[in-house]
Amino acid sequence: MNGRRILTIARKDLSEVLRNKQAIAPLLVVPILFAAVFPAAIALLGRSPVLTASVNGLDAFLDNLPAGVLPPDLNTGGIVVYAALTYFMAPMFLMIPIMVASVIGSSSFVGEKERRTLEGLLYTPVTNRELVLGKVLASLVPAVVVTWGSFVIYTIIANVLGNPVVGRAFFPNVTWLIVVFLLVPAIAFLAITLIVAVSGRSTTVQGAQGISVLVLLPVLALVIGQATGLMLFDAPVALIAVVVIAAIDVAVFLAVAKTFQRERLVTKLT
């Protein structure tokens, strides 16, 4: 594959996204919720039973925590803040790159169709793998950057508001470093590759975004599994998820690139 061609496609798509303020605005909603509003509410209301009653699944999650997970000297407020910010929010944080990717990636080919620039792109000498990878990178970069920026905000809030309640510095831990720097790029790549594949078969951006929401289902399964006590999203689980998703990334990318039919897209345009 030609790296220059891939980067050219990625830069072109990324510049189109940055010029579209209507597409950028929704990207801020989910990160603000998960990186600022939720952790701040948990830290400030950690001592109140209202929090565990109002956050769906949090009460059950606290009841199902395995023995030895929490430091033994925490009071009730410290337990809620420590457990929620360290474990409960970790799989939820994975929704940020997926939601960002769904907004940007879903307009990949559909946006080209609507701007009537797709036909010229399909007639260029780029290979299918180069074309798909370039489209994926154009969405992967902002998805990862937004998530990493959200992690910085989350870390600041957890330390400024959470440390006084817990009574010590506790964030970030190894699990979060694995999630943010390894699992986020891996799951974002998977989501974007699937979304690009869907985008190539959709006729409108809204249609591609509607189908791409299905990518959230595995993350929701993690959230539900942790809330019901079926599993704890800790460092070993995060590492296993990284290895599994990285393998799936390679397989899905190769399958999408192999089944990509530019001739069919050109036919639809004529």
Side-chain angles (χ1 to χ4, degrees), residues 13 18 22 59-61 78 110 123 130 146-147 172 220 235 239 241 258:
D13 272 27
L18 294 177
Q22 291 181 340
D59 197 16
F61 164 72
V110 180
Y123 281 124
E130 292 169 350
V146 169
T147 307
L220 293 176
L239 280 175
K258 184 177 181 179

Side-chain angles (χ1 to χ4, degrees), residues 145-209:
V145 168
V146 169
T147 307
W148 285 355
S150 300
F151 173 67
V152 172
I153 297 172
Y154 188 100
T155 301
I156 293 172
I157 292 176
N159 283 284
V160 172
L161 300 180
N163 286 358
V165 182
V166 177
R168 72 194 68 174
F170 68 98
F171 193 90
N173 61 4
V174 175
T175 300
W176 271 87
L177 295 178
I178 295 172
V179 168
V180 171
F181 294 106
L182 296 179
L183 189 54
V184 161
I187 201 168
F189 187 94
L190 175 60
I192 294 165
T193 304
L194 293 174
I195 290 168
V196 167
V198 171
S199 179
R201 292 167 172 77
S202 300
T203 56
T204 64
V205 173
Q206 290 76 14
Q209 288 177 345

Side-chain angles (χ1 to χ4, degrees), residues 36-222:
V37 176
F38 289 170
I42 290 170
L44 293 173
L45 300 176
R47 297 183 179 91
S48 172
V50 175
L51 177 68
T52 56
S54 59
V55 178
N56 189 28
L58 181 55
D59 197 16
F61 164 72
L62 293 172
D63 292 337
N64 291 314
L65 276 175
V69 169
L70 300 174
D73 58 337
L74 297 181
N75 57 27
T76 302
I79 289 174
V80 173
V81 172
Y82 182 94
L85 293 183
T86 303
Y87 293 106
F88 187 75
M89 289 294 297
M92 290 187 179
F93 212 77
L94 294 174
M95 294 184 185
I96 296 178
I98 295 176
M99 293 302 293
V100 173
S102 70
V103 174
I104 300 176
S106 58
S107 64
S108 179
F109 287 106
V110 180
E112 296 273 10
K113 294 175 187 176
E114 293 180 347
R115 293 189 298 269
R116 299 187 180 276
T117 58
L118 180 59
E119 187 172 7
L121 178 63
L122 295 176
Y123 281 124
T124 60
V126 297
T127 66
N128 288 348
R129 288 188 182 181
E130 292 169 350
L131 181 57
V132 173
L133 186 55
K135 294 286 187 182
V136 169
L137 287 179
S139 300
L140 180 65
V141 171
V144 171
V145 168
V146 169
T147 307
W148 285 355
S150 300
F151 173 67
V152 172
I153 297 172
Y154 188 100
T155 301
I156 293 172
I157 292 176
N159 283 284
V160 172
L161 300 180
N163 286 358
V165 182
V166 177
R168 72 194 68 174
F170 68 98
F171 193 90
N173 61 4
V174 175
T175 300
W176 271 87
L177 295 178
I178 295 172
V179 168
V180 171
F181 294 106
L182 296 179
L183 189 54
V184 161
I187 201 168
F189 187 94
L190 175 60
I192 294 165
T193 304
L194 293 174
I195 290 168
V196 167
V198 171
S199 179
R201 292 167 172 77
S202 300
T203 56
T204 64
V205 173
Q206 290 76 14
Q209 288 177 345
I211 298 174
S212 65
V213 172
L214 295 175
V215 182
L216 283 172
L217 293 179
V219 176
L220 293 176
L222 283 175

